[in-house]
Amino acid sequence: MKIGALQLGENKTQSELAAYLKTASEQKAKVVVLGEYLLGDFFKKIESKNKKIFLEEAKTQYSMLLELSCKFSIMLVAPVIEVVGTKFYKSIAIINKGKTLFYRSQRLMPYEHWNEANFFNNTLSKTIKMPPVFKIGSFKFSVLFGYELHFDEFWLKFKQNQVDCVLLPSASTFDSSLRWRSIIKMRAFLNSCYILRANRIGQYEDKENKTTWNFYGDSLFVNPVGEVIDCLGDREELLIVELDKKQLDLFKECWQFR
């Protein structure tokens, strides 16, 4: 089975996304995952925006994804700002033929320089709930935000629910690429599962602290023994990869982690 990851910068238009999804459809990809903060502005810009304008933009971005999901026979896994009344949540939209299942992030960054926990209305309880599990063909998929990758509780639940492939949108920056690669490879190996990570590209200029945040890309596909099978560089690009059920079953049987 083929799946894909879109590595893009912020503020992508509907026509730009449609061109990539057309290519993915022609290559028979069943699902495509997008990185974080692609459809609108990056989080640091959102923080200072007028709330009313921000909410309207979020609704427009979601409508665009619905249209694209109806046009192409591909399941879209896209981080979005979910709007409910005047509240907004950091969510992953799992969209298939115009129908959506939302997963709201359960762990948000609380840092002084990047404080999503203080901005969004997500519920951050002590007990982690299992993210959505959905089946395509013979594979069981689930989703996780990049920051949530670091919490063991999610991975215990993935193992208990026999998840075969985790789709991981992220917005990783600074000089963290080697650390991210190490963690993703370890998670894939210990859970005997595939991981497809879609990271964003581009830059954010922090004028207050006179620093540049570099989103370096490196979207990658890791197999159940922790090997990087394919990856992208630091430019806008589409990654199409293939899941192998026989290989997955062989690794599961060999290592007995599941």
Side-chain angles (χ1 to χ4, degrees):
M1 176 190 297
K2 290 183 179 179
I3 61 176
L6 262 177
Q7 179 172 285
L8 307 170
E10 65 185 35
N11 286 308
K12 291 291 109 177
T13 66
Q14 185 164 339
S15 61
E16 288 173 318
L17 288 175
Y20 282 111
L21 293 177
K22 182 175 183 293
T23 299
S25 179
E26 290 171 348
Q27 295 192 39
K28 303 188 183 305
K30 298 295 184 183
V31 57
V32 171
V33 58
L34 282 66
E36 293 186 45
Y37 300 112
L38 298 185
L39 304 179
D41 292 320
F42 174 54
F43 173 71
K44 295 299 290 183
K45 294 181 181 178
I46 292 173
E47 274 188 311
S48 58
K49 268 196 172 184
N50 176 280
K51 184 176 180 180
K52 185 176 180 180
I53 294 175
F54 160 66
L55 292 176
E56 287 303 315
E57 288 177 347
K59 291 177 183 177
T60 300
Q61 292 157 17
Y62 174 59
S63 297
M64 177 176 70
L65 289 173
L66 287 178
E67 288 184 31
L68 290 170
S69 75
C70 292
K71 184 174 182 179
F72 300 97
S73 57
I74 296 177
M75 180 179 289
L76 296 180
V77 174
V80 297
I81 309 301
E82 181 189 356
V83 178
V84 180
T86 58
K87 293 184 177 181
F88 38 94
Y89 302 87
K90 184 177 182 181
S91 302
I92 294 175
I94 304 167
I95 309 173
N96 189 27
K97 298 177 181 178
K99 296 182 179 179
T100 306
L101 174 65
F102 286 106
Y103 166 64
R104 293 178 183 172
S105 180
Q106 300 175 72
R107 292 292 180 267
L108 296 174
M109 282 185 280
Y111 310 119
E112 184 177 347
H113 70 289
W114 192 338
N115 198 334
E116 294 176 336
N118 191 50
F119 182 79
F120 292 108
N121 295 108
N122 296 54
T123 299
L124 307 177
S125 63
K126 290 183 178 180
T127 304
I128 284 176
K129 298 179 181 178
M130 178 65 198
V133 176
F134 52 96
K135 198 167 185 180
I136 305 176
S138 59
F139 291 93
K140 291 175 72 174
F141 291 83
S142 193
V143 297
L144 199 66
F145 275 106
Y147 180 64
E148 295 177 315
L149 168 75
H150 303 87
F151 295 86
D152 294 338
E153 296 92 331
F154 288 106
W155 295 94
L156 291 172
K157 291 189 179 297
F158 289 150
K159 187 180 293 185
Q160 291 162 4
N161 286 271
Q162 293 292 309
V163 171
D164 298 315
C165 181
V166 176
L167 303 174
L168 185 73
S170 65
S172 306
T173 184
F174 306 120
D175 296 317
S176 61
S177 60
L178 292 179
R179 183 177 75 244
W180 273 83
R181 279 197 166 217
S182 297
I183 297 173
I184 292 170
K185 288 162 64 177
M186 178 269 291
R187 294 296 191 193
F189 176 54
L190 295 183
N191 279 64
S192 296
C193 70
Y194 290 102
I195 299 178
L196 179 60
R197 175 226 195 167
N199 196 32
R200 78 191 298 275
I201 58 171
Q203 293 182 334
Y204 167 70
E205 298 294 335
D206 185 349
K207 295 179 181 179
E208 183 179 347
N209 295 304
K210 297 181 180 180
T211 58
T212 299
W213 298 27
N214 180 44
F215 298 93
Y216 49 76
D218 196 35
S219 297
L220 50 84
F221 178 58
V222 178
N223 73 6
V225 289
E227 298 171 336
V228 177
I229 300 302
D230 206 349
C231 63
L232 300 179
D234 58 0
R235 298 183 180 183
E236 185 172 299
E237 205 169 351
L238 169 66
L239 176 66
I240 300 292
V241 297
E242 190 162 4
L243 306 179
D244 186 323
K245 183 62 173 163
K246 289 184 179 179
Q247 183 189 62
L248 173 64
D249 290 341
L250 179 64
F251 291 152
K252 286 164 59 180
E253 179 65 27
C254 176
W255 290 101
Q256 296 288 315
F257 293 155
R258 284 170 58 181

